[in-house]
Structures are given as C-alpha cells and as structure tokens.
Amino acid sequence: MKENILVIEDNEQNLYLVKFILEKNGYQVHVATDGQAGIEKANDLKPDLILLDIQLPVMDGYAVAKNLRANPLTAKIPIVAVTSHAMVGDRDKAISSGCNGYIEKPINPDTFISEVELHLIKK
Amino acid sequence: MAIDEETVDRQNEATLTGQLLRSFLILLMILFFGTGFAQAESQVVRVGVYENAPKVFMSESGKPSGIFIDIIEYIAKREDWDLEYVPGTWAQGLDRLARGEIDLMPDVAITADREKKFSFHKIQVLSSWFQAYARKDSGIRSILDLNGKRIAILEQSVQQEAFTRFSEGFGLRIKPVPVADYKTMFEMAARGDVDAAVTNQFYGAMHARQYGLVDTAVVFEPSALFFAASKNDPKQLLEAIDRHLSVLKKDTHSPYYNSLRRWTSEKVRFKVPLWLQILALIAGVALLMSLAGSLVLKRQVNARTRELWQINQEMEQRIIERTEKLEQANQKLLSEIEERAKTQKALFISETMYRDLVESANSVILRWTAEGKITFINKFAQQFFGFSEEEIIGQNIIGTIVPEVETSGRDLTSLVYNVAKDPKAYEGHVNENIKKNGQRVWVAWTNKHLMDESGQLVEILSIGIDITKLVEAEKELRDTMAQLDKAKVRAESADRLKSAFLATMSHELRTPLNSIIGFTGILLQRLGGPLNEEQEKQLGMVYNSSRHLLDLINDVLDISKIEAGQLNVVSEPFDLRESIEKVMKSSQPLADKKGIEFSSTIAPEIGVITSDRRRVEQILLNLISNAIKFTEEGYVRLRGEVRGNDIVIDVRDSGIGIKQEDMGILFNAFQQIESGTTRKYDGTGLGLSICKKLAHLLGGEIRVESEWGKGSTFSFILPKEGEKV
C-alpha cells in the first residue's frame, strides 16, 4: 500500500487532474476544497504528504501551512505548494509559511510525479 | 594829543631862559657858519611835527621839541642833515610821508598796514605803554587791586578798549569812568572822584607828580615807537638812525638818556626856585650850593634813569617773549588748520564714498527707532517702495512699508516689536512688505542694533533684499513638487494595480492551461487508455500549442516584471556545474531529435558561485534552446571557463547565423529575425531580450558573434560573486 497524499485544491479540474495522476501512480488520495477543511482532514488523516494550493476559499494556503506547522500533530508532514502564483516572492512566501517545496502550475505531467516523490522520499 | 600842550607849556616856563640863551647861540652860529654848511653836501631832511608832548610837539616859541626832536637833531648834526620841520596833525604827517612830501615822521608804532606804506629802522626809539596812576594812599599796587574800583579812562580811545580787554583777562570787575582828557583825569584822581587814571606812560611820567599821583604796576598794551621814513627810505636815513641809536642807548649819559630825563623827570630839578637859578646865573655866587644841589639831583636823576631803563628793558623783553609765543601759537594754529583741512577733505571723500555706496546699493537700507520710526531710507528703498524721503522719514514702518498682517496671516506689528527687543533672534529674517501702491513684496532682512557708548539701543539698521521672485519661484516649485508627489502616488498605485493585474492574469491564464497541458499530457502517456495514431498526432499538437502558450505567458510576465522593476534576483551560493548539467540534460532530447552533436566542456574551476540559480538556468536554457532551434545540422557546443572574477559560458552553434545588419535588433523584445528561409521558427521573440535583461540584473552580460550561414556564438558572462541588485 502506497502513502496517503492529501490534496487541498478548490479548482475542480485541477483537483481531478492531480488526483488522477497520483492514483494512476498508486497513491491513496484524499481531497479538501478549502483551507479550513484541509486542516481538519490533515488532523484526521495524518497524511504522508500534503499538496497545497495557495489561492483557497475560507483560508489561504499560507495560513493553512502556518497552522499545520504550528500544530504538533501535523508539524512533521511535508507540504508542497502547488500554485500558479508565479509572482515575485511567491516561492519565498510559501517556504517561509512552512512549505517544504513548490511546484508551479500548470504542472508538467512528465515531471510531476518525480517532483512529488522527491518530497516523499525525504520523509 | 592837544591835551598835552598846556602842561608842556607850564613846564617850559622853567627852561625859558636856557632856551633863549640857546636860541641866541644857534642864531649866532647860523649867522657865522650856517650858510657855509648849508652850501656844503648837507642833505635836506623834512620831518613832520605834531602835538604829542613830550615825545614831539611845538613849544610856545614855535620851536619843535620833545624826545624825538632831540634825538633827530643830535643825529642830523653828525650826519650833516639839514632838518626842515613840517608842522601838522598826526594824520597829515602820515599822509605827507606816504606822498613823499616829508622824509621822516617821529613817534610811529609799527603796524602791518604801516609797514606796507612806510619803512622803519630797527632799533626802537621808545617803548610806550599805558599805565594807571593813583594817589599814594590808594593802596593800589597791582592790577588785582583795581577790582571794584572806579578808573578814569580817556573817552573813545584805544586805551579804553585795551584796558577793558586787559582787565577782563584777569576776570576783574572794574567801573570805567570815561573822561575827555588826561588833565581832567589826573584832577579827578587827585580829588578822589576816581580811584585811578589811565594815561600813556609819557604823559604820566611828566605830570603825575604835580597831582600828587604815583605810577602803579598796572602797565599794558606796550608798543615800540620809531621814526617812519618814506617807503624804501630813498634818502637812506634809517640806517644812520639805527647806528646812532645803538650807540646812544648804550651810554646812560648820552644825549638820548639826557633827553628822556629832561622830558620825563626834569620837574624834580625844576623844583629848585627860579630865583636861585637866576641868581646863580647872573651873580654866580651860589656856585657851591648849586654844585651840591646838582650832585643830589644827579643821583636822583641817575636812579630814575636806571629805573626807566630797566622798565624799558623789561618791556622790550616782554614784547619779544610775547611775540615769540604769539608766533609759536600762530605756527601751531596754522599747522592745526592745515591738518584739520586735510582730515576734513579725507572725511569728505570717505563720507561721499559711503554715501554713494549706501544710496546706490541695490539693497533696501533703513534705520529706525525702537518705536518703529524711520530715520533713514536710502534712494534704492525710496524707489523700491515708492515713497519719497519727505513722505516716509519720521513715519512708523508699520502701515507704510510693513503691513500690519502678512498674507499668510502672521501679525507683523508684534514682529517689529520683537525685532527691537531681541536683535539676535531676528538678525536674518524674511517677511512680507508692502509698497506705496499696495503691492506686496517679500524681503529678506538683516537687522542690526546700533548702540551708544553705554550699550543703549539707539536705532536698528535693516538691510533688505527683494526676494519676491525667489519666493514666487519657490512657491511654484513647491506646487510642482506637490503635483509630482501626487503623480508619483498615482504612478505607484498604477504600478501596484499593474502588478496585481499581472498576478491575477498569470493565475487566471495558468489555471485553464493547467488542465489543457495536464490532461493532454495524461492522454499522451496513455494513462487514459490507448490512442490511435491520428489521435496521438492531434493531441501532440494541442500539447505543443499549450506549452507554447505557457512560454508566451511566462515571457510576457517576465518582461513586464523586468520593465516594472519588479523582477528581483536573489543572491545565494549554488553549484553552477550542477545547473549547467541540469540544463544540458533537459535540452538533450531536443538535440537528439534534430540529430545534431550536443556537447559541453566545463573547466574544472567552475563550481559554487553566488547568484540567482533559477535565473541563471533560465538564461542558459534559453541560449541552448535557441542554438538548437536554429541549427539544422552540425553541432551545439557549450564551453564554460573562468576569466578573472567572471564565469564565461559560450554556446556555439553551426546554425544559420545572423546577418550583420540584424545584430542591432537582435535583443529587442518581440523581434524574431527573418530567417531568410521559408521556415518560420517557433518562439515568442522575447527570449533573448529577457536573457539580456536578466544577465544585467545579475551583474553580467550577453555577447554575440555570428557569421551569416556559418553559425553563432552567444557568450554569457556572469560574475562569480554577484551582488544583490
């Protein structure tokens, strides 16, 4: 049985795409479509990796990352930001909020899995 | 001097007999010898005679007499002059002398005026002065004893004026009693109607005793008396007179002194009764008695003569001393006057210079009192404010040139008070002023307090410069600055809007692209199931187009960020070799696809550098992709070297190359050079432009060498230790 991955993403198509790729590669995928729900799922499931969109309803990705890092139960879970926020400082902001990595949207289907697995291996 | 006549006459009675005898003898001499002498080379000398006994006068018998006559007769005898007397008044005598009608005038004092008209000899004949005479019991010894006394003075005479001056010099209060003649004066003094009488010394010496008066030590207005000759002395008489006088004055028994004695104090001798003289003369019996009397008299006379001589000497000495002092004082006065004239001239020049400076200076120059009253205003200020001097002097500066309230609302009335109160605080001060026509002007003032010796404020000196234009320009500048600030704020907010727009656009464009690229990618990976050949081909086109669209979006985003100055590069250590290898690896499939040689030579010194890894990789990827893209056959070779502080990475290809004329536009945005072939290459045309700008941001640069048809070499020069920009 492969690892559990929590995908927090509000865009239906993107969520479907990521979920599809991950499941095709044999991972157990859980989803949440807003920040608050994401935090709750993370606490419940204690996934092996979280893929986190930044622009989210209710609570944005930066706040979610900070929240998860502040909570001992979720502090150790690797978080990879997946976002189309490609402006200056986005990457730094994500890292400083507690993310371990950063994957720019649109994702490259050829390299996406290897980038995700880079962080899983680090676990 | 007619007053002297009577007294002289009375005196002359005594000598009547002697004179008769003498006249007789002279007559005899003239009868026997006179003609003979006269015919010899004797010179005729005409002498003016007037009434001034005992110095010169006509005796009762009509014969010229007196001291001057005795002396000139003595000299004439020895010089063989033939004297011819010309009687007249004093004034007539001087007139005649001036006209050359007579040759000599006796008893003349030297004055500047007379020196012009006449000539004088050098040795004075007599000293004359005025003297006060008083009764023996009066107790008057000196000038100080005259204080509060009644003094008889000859009416309307020079003595009166001289005596008044003389006594005032001692600060005395004397009651002068003007009297018409000397005789009356002595009579009054004798009766006690006055305390003393002032006469000339000769009259006094001759007559005082008969009134029971004595001379006092009150002596003033001395003068020296001479014979005056016609101008330039044509008969050369003066030299002879001097010669004889010098001899005569040395010997106290000379005829000179005899004459003095005779005319001044002989009355003593003439106290001897007349009958005795006659008796002696006729009988000669009382010879012994007479001899004894003579001896006594002679002693008395000698003593008197000595006294007179001493007085004369003293007076002469006083005159000399006084003259010397006067001359010294005069000299001092002259040099003082000269000095003062010089100083005055210098002062005038200096004053003129400063006045010019103050009046014509291009500054407002004012003086005003602590109360604000204007005491001086220069020409420039008058013109500047439009007030004339008459209009403004004495006026308060408030309400004339200083408005009560400034346009800004500041109260200037209190300002004036403050300037007067605290000079230091308002030494340099700018305030609004007003012209007569109501125009407001700005003036930069320098205020200075003018103090007197005791440190009391006298006036305030204010120098002002019109800075209205400056103030207006400053205001304009401030307005412009304010506008610029607003524009800047607007521009900044526009920039923020642009950034926000770009961020939004980037996000919004990428989200759909994410689906397109993602799903086509999945399908092409057969994750969605098997594909036939046509499906794969068409999905491949969708995939490539969407990738191209993504590149385009990324490039536009980069260019926008660079141009907005929003693209910041980081500066952190990373392994450049690793980055090069990574880029090579990702580009390898492209080269393989075109079947061209793709290799690299990286110098062993290349390792960790400090720069922005992502941007360096972006540049390298761009250069390599370009090289592969424009090379159909041959090679693309990368070579990395260290040159000094720089890393140089050359990407050389054997592609189509670039025409010389296209080199200039090579790095321009949105310019893809026409290849000259029918083939149009993919690409946004932004790549090189972005590379060049990024290289600059990293402190490096991109250079290119190319030959049309043979290939190009792009060089990326990057500092090993890049600074954060």
Side-chain angles (χ1 to χ4, degrees):
Chain A
M1 189 66 190
K2 285 229 175 177
E3 289 89 343
N4 290 316
I5 297 178
L6 172 62
V7 180
I8 309 173
E9 168 69 80
D10 68 322
N11 185 288
E12 202 186 325
Q13 291 181 17
N14 283 342
L15 186 59
Y16 181 85
L17 177 64
V18 170
K19 190 170 179 261
F20 184 87
I21 295 172
L22 292 172
E23 281 174 348
K24 284 288 173 191
N25 284 279
Y27 294 102
Q28 184 78 39
V29 179
H30 309 273
V31 297
T33 56
D34 68 69
Q36 191 57 48
I39 291 168
E40 282 163 14
K41 282 260 171 85
N43 275 289
D44 289 347
L45 304 166
K46 314 265 175 346
D48 300 303
L49 181 76
I50 299 171
L51 293 181
L52 177 67
D53 187 19
I54 295 301
Q55 209 166 51
L56 289 169
V58 186
M59 183 188 273
D60 74 15
Y62 302 128
V64 172
K66 278 180 192 163
N67 185 291
L68 295 175
R69 283 287 167 261
N71 183 353
L73 292 173
T74 55
K76 297 269 167 66
I77 305 170
I79 306 169
V80 176
V82 182
T83 177
S84 53
H85 270 264
M87 297 302 286
V88 179
D90 285 351
R91 179 184 297 259
D92 292 343
K93 211 170 165 188
I95 300 298
S96 68
S97 297
C99 298
N100 302 72
Y102 184 100
I103 296 173
E104 214 171 272
K105 277 196 264 189
I107 58 165
N108 185 342
D110 298 336
T111 57
F112 180 72
I113 280 297
S114 59
E115 280 181 76
V116 169
E117 284 174 351
L118 202 65
H119 293 285
L120 271 174
I121 288 162
K122 279 184 182 169
K123 178 184 163 191
Chain B
M1 288 284 171
I3 43 155
D4 290 347
E5 272 179 63
E6 266 182 71
T7 47
V8 170
D9 290 347
R10 199 178 297 163
Q11 203 176 46
N12 283 355
E13 284 170 29
T15 55
L16 190 62
T17 323
Q19 276 181 358
L20 281 170
L21 193 66
R22 204 156 35 170
S23 298
F24 178 71
L25 283 168
I26 289 165
L27 191 67
L28 278 177
M29 275 171 71
I30 292 167
L31 278 172
F32 286 99
F33 313 106
T35 33
F37 281 124
Q39 275 167 355
E41 290 181 7
S42 63
Q43 183 171 217
V44 174
V45 176
R46 295 159 298 175
V47 181
V49 181
Y50 62 101
E51 291 303 321
N52 188 4
K55 291 183 280 189
V56 52
F57 63 100
M58 280 294 197
S59 73
E60 186 97 317
S61 58
K63 187 188 177 300
S65 308
I67 300 163
F68 277 86
I69 300 299
D70 285 351
I71 290 162
I72 199 64
E73 284 194 341
Y74 171 88
I75 294 167
K77 205 163 157 191
R78 275 149 190 82
E79 292 295 322
D80 199 14
W81 293 343
D82 196 357
L83 293 180
E84 209 179 285
Y85 292 109
V86 182
T89 65
W90 162 251
Q92 280 172 339
L94 290 178
D95 281 350
R96 284 172 184 154
L97 186 65
R99 287 199 299 270
E101 289 168 16
I102 59 173
D103 302 310
L104 287 177
M105 186 69 184
D107 190 25
V108 183
I110 299 177
T111 66
D113 187 45
R114 286 174 187 165
E115 264 190 319
K116 284 183 201 156
K117 288 190 209 158
F118 313 121
S119 292
F120 293 87
H121 55 95
K122 294 185 182 65
I123 297 172
Q124 66 177 56
V125 178
L126 289 174
S127 289
S128 180
W129 55 84
F130 296 111
Q131 198 159 5
Y133 295 87
R135 288 186 309 282
K136 270 184 184 168
D137 57 358
S138 70
I140 294 168
R141 297 278 175 275
S142 75
I143 179 81
L144 299 175
D145 297 326
L146 292 178
N147 199 14
K149 295 283 194 317
R150 295 158 302 163
I151 312 294
I153 300 252
L154 191 64
E155 206 170 47
Q156 289 177 352
S157 64
V158 286
Q159 294 99 297
Q160 184 176 359
E161 193 194 325
F163 181 73
T164 309
R165 200 168 58 234
F166 176 59
S167 58
E168 276 172 0
F170 284 89
L172 302 178
R173 295 164 60 91
I174 288 171
K175 295 170 196 154
V177 180
V179 177
D181 58 75
Y182 282 168
K183 189 172 167 235
T184 316
M185 282 162 59
F186 273 8
E187 283 165 2
M188 287 171 76
R191 280 200 306 271
D193 293 343
V194 292
D195 297 305
V198 172
T199 70
N200 78 44
Q201 61 114 348
F202 288 99
Y203 184 89
M206 200 164 168
H207 303 101
R209 284 184 190 209
Q210 66 192 78
Y211 290 97
L213 303 176
V214 293
D215 51 358
T216 68
V218 181
V219 173
F220 63 95
E221 205 64 7
S223 60
L225 300 172
F226 298 84
F227 285 99
S230 300
K231 187 70 187 163
N232 296 332
D233 187 23
K235 294 188 177 172
Q236 297 183 328
L237 308 170
L238 299 177
E239 196 196 329
I241 292 172
D242 272 338
R243 193 169 62 243
H244 286 290
L245 275 176
S246 71
V247 176
L248 285 167
K249 286 179 106 174
K250 276 176 195 157
D251 179 8
T252 53
H253 296 288
S254 70
Y256 171 82
Y257 288 102
N258 285 342
S259 176
L260 279 180
R261 275 191 288 276
R262 180 178 162 208
W263 295 112
T264 56
S265 34
E266 265 181 9
K267 52 186 174 288
V268 178
R269 187 166 74 183
F270 302 142
K271 276 178 182 171
V272 176
L274 187 66
W275 61 264
L276 191 64
Q277 251 192 35
I278 297 164
L279 197 70
L281 215 103
I282 297 167
V285 192
L287 190 68
L288 272 169
M289 243 181 105
S290 174
L291 197 68
S294 284
L295 280 169
V296 173
L297 278 172
K298 195 178 179 187
R299 223 172 42 229
Q300 283 178 342
V301 167
N302 281 349
R304 183 69 182 160
T305 306
R306 265 200 305 280
E307 203 179 309
L308 272 171
W309 187 79
Q310 275 171 356
I311 290 169
N312 202 24
Q313 287 294 313
E314 274 172 30
M315 289 315 295
E316 276 180 34
Q317 191 56 39
R318 270 193 228 172
I319 290 166
I320 290 166
E321 283 170 9
R322 194 138 169 219
T323 307
E324 266 176 22
K325 273 184 193 160
L326 274 171
E327 267 173 15
Q328 283 172 0
N330 199 28
Q331 199 56 45
K332 203 174 153 194
L333 215 63
L334 278 174
S335 67
E336 268 176 22
I337 288 168
E338 200 179 329
E339 196 63 36
R340 193 166 294 186
K342 266 192 215 163
T343 315
Q344 212 117 29
K345 196 180 171 197
L347 209 67
F348 178 75
I349 291 169
S350 162
E351 154 90 16
T352 308
M353 207 174 82
Y354 277 102
R355 184 156 286 278
D356 279 356
L357 207 67
V358 167
E359 290 293 8
S360 57
N362 272 344
S363 298
V364 172
I365 301 179
L366 278 185
R367 283 172 70 137
W368 49 284
T369 63
E371 292 77 40
K373 202 174 275 182
I374 296 168
T375 58
F376 174 83
I377 182 163
N378 72 339
K379 287 268 184 306
F380 178 85
Q382 291 166 32
Q383 284 161 8
F384 178 68
F385 287 118
F387 285 103
S388 72
E389 201 166 14
E390 296 74 44
E391 284 174 320
I392 194 119
I393 294 291
Q395 299 297 310
N396 200 291
I397 60 172
I398 293 286
T400 52
I401 61 167
V402 181
E404 282 177 18
V405 181
E406 208 172 66
T407 316
S408 64
R410 182 164 60 142
D411 176 18
L412 293 180
T413 313
S414 58
L415 171 83
V416 168
Y417 171 76
N418 289 339
V419 172
K421 200 178 168 194
D422 188 357
K424 279 275 177 284
Y426 293 88
E427 212 164 16
H429 188 258
V430 173
N431 64 268
E432 202 174 48
N433 283 81
I434 189 163
K435 292 187 177 182
K436 192 185 175 187
N437 63 13
Q439 187 194 339
R440 299 273 178 143
V441 285
W442 284 93
V443 178
W445 293 101
T446 305
N447 298 309
K448 188 174 188 291
H449 278 208
L450 304 173
M451 308 286 192
D452 63 12
E453 303 82 40
S454 62
Q456 287 292 305
L457 172 67
V458 181
E459 280 181 355
I460 296 132
L461 171 66
S462 296
I463 299 177
I465 296 165
D466 175 20
I467 57 159
T468 310
K469 287 210 173 91
L470 198 74
V471 170
E472 280 166 2
E474 207 179 286
K475 190 178 174 293
E476 225 166 276
L477 195 71
R478 267 203 305 273
D479 290 349
T480 311
M481 291 292 279
Q483 280 170 3
L484 275 174
D485 269 351
K486 272 185 200 162
K488 195 184 163 203
V489 168
R490 272 203 299 272
E492 278 169 358
S493 90
D495 262 3
R496 276 196 298 275
L497 275 172
K498 188 180 170 189
S499 299
F501 172 76
L502 287 170
T504 310
M505 284 301 289
S506 168
H507 184 256
E508 297 306 322
L509 290 172
R510 278 161 198 258
T511 307
L513 267 178
N514 198 33
S515 294
I516 301 167
I517 293 168
F519 289 116
T520 46
I522 291 164
L523 291 171
L524 285 168
Q525 285 173 21
R526 310 286 200 282
L527 287 173
L531 297 173
N532 65 32
E533 201 177 325
E534 189 56 29
Q535 284 170 330
E536 190 181 349
K537 185 184 169 190
Q538 289 176 4
L539 276 173
M541 286 175 183
V542 173
Y543 186 77
N544 283 335
S545 291
S546 59
R547 292 291 322 182
H548 187 206
L549 186 58
L550 182 61
D551 285 347
L552 203 60
I553 289 167
N554 285 339
D555 282 357
V556 169
L557 202 63
D558 275 352
I559 276 283
S560 300
K561 282 193 281 193
I562 288 167
E563 280 173 359
Q566 286 180 346
L567 194 140
N568 293 336
V569 293
V570 298
S571 190
E572 59 195 7
F574 68 94
D575 190 342
L576 179 61
R577 178 181 294 272
E578 208 172 78
S579 286
I580 294 171
E581 280 166 356
K582 184 175 155 195
V583 174
M584 288 289 290
K585 196 178 164 191
S586 71
S587 302
Q588 190 67 51
L590 272 174
D592 291 347
K593 212 165 156 187
K594 293 188 89 167
I596 53 177
E597 180 204 327
F598 183 51
S599 62
S600 66
T601 317
I602 301 167
E605 305 95 86
I606 290 180
V608 173
I609 64 161
T610 303
S611 193
D612 188 324
R613 185 180 56 79
R614 192 164 145 249
R615 295 302 177 184
V616 169
E617 286 174 7
Q618 186 181 347
I619 292 166
L620 287 174
L621 189 65
N622 206 299
L623 294 179
I624 290 166
S625 305
N626 269 350
I628 295 170
K629 191 155 68 181
F630 294 105
T631 302
E632 297 310 321
E633 57 184 35
Y635 58 86
V636 171
R637 291 174 189 153
L638 183 143
R639 191 180 64 189
E641 284 179 346
V642 175
R643 284 189 210 154
N645 291 324
D646 293 331
I647 307 282
V648 181
I649 299 163
D650 293 332
V651 179
R652 174 190 287 263
D653 65 59
S654 57
I656 57 171
I658 303 155
K659 288 181 190 161
Q660 200 60 37
E661 60 264 35
D662 291 331
M663 287 292 217
I665 55 164
L666 188 63
F667 293 102
N668 289 4
F670 301 107
Q671 295 263 356
Q672 194 183 57
I673 296 157
E674 287 296 323
S675 62
T677 65
T678 50
R679 169 121 191 228
K680 173 89 175 141
Y681 292 92
D682 287 341
T684 60
L686 288 172
L688 276 178
S689 175
I690 291 168
C691 283
K692 191 169 177 73
K693 284 180 170 126
L694 284 176
H696 273 289
L697 283 173
L698 297 171
E701 61 179 311
I702 306 282
R703 287 180 195 160
V704 62
E705 280 174 25
S706 184
E707 201 177 329
W708 173 242
K710 290 198 172 171
S712 312
T713 304
F714 283 82
S715 303
F716 173 29
I717 296 147
L718 179 69
K720 276 196 286 189
E721 300 297 321
E723 286 165 26
K724 268 198 168 166
V725 177

